């Protein structure tokens, strides 16, 4: 029984949970930063010719920033679920839980990264196009919504995965 418990609840299991926290926050923030920077370049370029449209076209930057918030939410939830060893020093955080938290962080983080890249590219080209033809604004917003949905899908799956757990203290220790 001790061998099975050690295999399901090794001392290295929390590492995977903490890597999930890191993946969620870092990858989502990289996506948010890229989307913000790329869209910001387009807004700056468009604003030279049509400064009255700058505030209207700030939407891609806001949408990119939301991706970082998704990563923060998942990172805080996962971090709150990582348990410290008990009084005897035995790990109560299982490998199953660590892997679930790692996959949750990767789902949210990499989805946020992909969404940020899409928002950045669409935002850059979109705001430049809107600067020349304002009727393209609604089309740009629709494309941005679909790009943002990619990050939202990752957030939803990450929230579901973060609730998966196995408590080592229930395994007969």
């Amino acid at each position: 029984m001790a061998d099975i418990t050690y295999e399901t609840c090794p001392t290295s299991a929390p590492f995977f949970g903490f890597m999930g926290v890191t993946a969620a926050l870092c990858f989502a923030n990289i996506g948010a930063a890229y989307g913000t920077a790329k869209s910001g370049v387009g807004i700056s370029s468009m604003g030279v010719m049509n400064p009255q449209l700058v505030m209207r076209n700030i939407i891609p930057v806001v949408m990119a920033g939301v991706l970082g918030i998704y990563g923060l939410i998942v990172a805080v939830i996962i971090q709150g679920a990582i348990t410290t060893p008990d009084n005897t020093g035995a790990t109560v955080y299982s490998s199953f839980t660590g892997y679930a938290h790692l996959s949750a962080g990767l789902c949210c983080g990499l989805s946020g990264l992909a969404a940020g890249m899409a928002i950045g590219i669409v935002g850059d080209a979109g705001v430049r196009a809107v600067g020349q033809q304002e009727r393209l604004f609604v089309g740009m917003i629709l494309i941005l919504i679909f790009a943002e949905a990619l990050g939202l899908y990752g957030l939803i799956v990450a929230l579901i995965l973060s609730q998966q757990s196995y408590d080592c203290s229930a395994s007969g220790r």
Side-chain angles (χ1 to χ4, degrees):
M1 183 66 174
D3 291 337
I4 294 172
T5 302
Y6 178 74
E7 286 182 23
T8 58
C9 304
T11 56
S12 61
F15 168 79
F16 296 102
F18 287 119
M19 286 305 295
V21 171
T22 304
L25 191 61
C26 291
F27 288 137
N29 282 339
I30 291 169
Y34 180 84
T36 299
K38 187 91 166 131
S39 296
V41 168
I43 291 168
S44 298
S45 177
M46 180 274 310
V48 171
M49 300 305 283
N50 287 319
Q52 70 276 9
L53 294 177
V54 168
M55 290 309 292
R56 182 177 183 198
N57 284 323
I58 205 85
I59 292 171
V61 173
V62 174
M63 293 178 85
V66 169
L67 298 173
I69 296 170
Y70 292 168
L72 178 64
I73 290 168
V74 171
V76 168
I77 289 172
I78 294 171
Q79 184 276 331
I82 298 174
T83 56
T84 58
D86 63 12
N87 293 337
T88 65
T91 304
V92 293
Y93 188 81
S94 68
S95 291
F96 175 84
T97 306
Y99 299 149
H101 288 165
L102 176 61
S103 64
L106 287 171
C107 278
C108 180
L110 293 176
S111 294
L113 178 60
M117 292 177 73
I119 289 170
I121 293 167
V122 170
D124 181 25
V127 297
R128 290 174 195 247
V130 169
Q132 294 176 356
Q133 177 56 262
E134 289 189 46
R135 289 186 289 182
L136 296 173
F137 183 75
V138 173
M140 178 190 73
I141 296 300
L142 287 173
I143 296 168
L144 288 169
I145 289 170
F146 287 117
E148 181 78 26
L150 299 174
L152 186 60
Y153 300 154
L155 172 68
I156 292 167
V157 172
L159 292 175
I160 293 168
L161 285 170
S162 70
Q163 301 307 306
Q164 302 295 313
S165 66
Y166 174 78
D167 188 12
C168 292
S169 62
S171 65
R173 281 164 71 125

